[in-house]
Amino acid sequence: MAQPPRILIVAHRTAATPPLLAAVRDRATEGSCAFTLLVPDSAGDADVEDARDTLELAIPLLEDAAGGRVEGVIGEADAFAAVRAAHERRPFDEAIVSTLPTNVSRWLRVDLPARVRRLGLPVTVVTPQRADRDFFKLT
């Protein structure tokens, strides 16, 4: 029996935003898949509390959107290095990268989606619009 596709969700401050939840819900309706939320530890190894809080908030919402279990992992501060390490540990079939809006996104400035594509993963980029900003300020 074939394993369902493994989908890596890369997010931090946008991990519980409506656009990401909609993207996960849409992907889940295409067929059975296994989701993993990777939260890069933006504070570095010194303090992973922020990343843990993000996982605690986002996982139940993502599980509701996915219609099933979502695994959560904390990666290193460099988002690309975190993705590469996760993909080397347990290969993924595709990725969803959720970023802050273009004018403030460090991940878009370093072209994280293109770098992840070079790992051989199809990438969907989800970026909240201005109207969504109030949501992730509260989280």
Side-chain angles (χ1 to χ4, degrees), residues 83-103:
V83 169
R84 186 178 56 220
H87 185 55
E88 288 173 355
R89 240 184 339 271
R90 290 181 55 203
F92 291 89
D93 299 299
E94 58 189 89
I96 299 172
V97 176
S98 180
T99 72
L100 291 169
T102 305
N103 61 329

Side-chain angles (χ1 to χ4, degrees), residues 57-73:
L57 171 72
I59 292 289
L61 297 170
L62 289 166
E63 287 180 335
D64 185 56
R69 186 177 182 281
V70 174
E71 181 182 358
V73 295

